[in-house]
Amino acid sequence: MLRHLLNCQRRIIWRTRYCYYCDVPTQDLTEGERKLTEVLQAKFPGHTAIQVADISGGCGAMFEVSIEAEEFRGLRTVKQHMLVNQALKEEIKEMHGMRINTKVPGSDT
């Protein structure tokens, strides 16, 4: 996965069992999306894809987080989600809710 532009980050769009990758310029992210993405990139150095979307209309109350990371290998989904919650524990205090999708690189599900 190569980045086409230096000011872009890899975003992933999850659709059932398939993933579609696209580059989105970081200036298109909201402040909340950018902050959560930076924290997740730091906490999961083995990530291959991270997407953070503000699903509250831009006010920062609700986010959808999708992350594909090697750190999840061998862990049950509940434990994977617990790791994401732990990584974002300070940011979660200011949210209403969060949807989490996790995946191990190279897995089909």
Side-chain angles (χ1 to χ4, degrees), residues 3-9 24-27:
R3 294 175 192 235
H4 296 291
L5 300 172
L6 292 176
N7 68 338
C8 289
Q9 72 174 31
V24 177
T26 54
Q27 65 264 26

Side-chain angles (χ1 to χ4, degrees), residues 6-7 16-17 22 27 40-41 46 48 50 65 84 89 92-93 97 100 102-103:
L6 292 176
N7 68 338
T16 61
R17 303 184 93 190
C22 61
Q27 65 264 26
L40 290 170
Q41 287 173 338
T48 54
I50 291 177
V65 173
V84 174
K89 68 181 177 181
I92 287 173
K93 292 177 183 178
I100 301 173
T102 55
K103 186 179 176 192

Side-chain angles (χ1 to χ4, degrees), residues 24-57:
V24 177
T26 54
Q27 65 264 26
D28 290 347
L29 299 177
T30 66
E31 183 179 333
E33 290 170 337
R34 188 180 344 256
K35 182 177 180 183
L36 294 180
T37 300
E38 289 171 359
V39 170
L40 290 170
Q41 287 173 338
K43 297 286 184 172
F44 297 99
H47 73 275
T48 54
I50 291 177
Q51 177 190 6
V52 177
D54 185 338
I55 56 175
S56 62

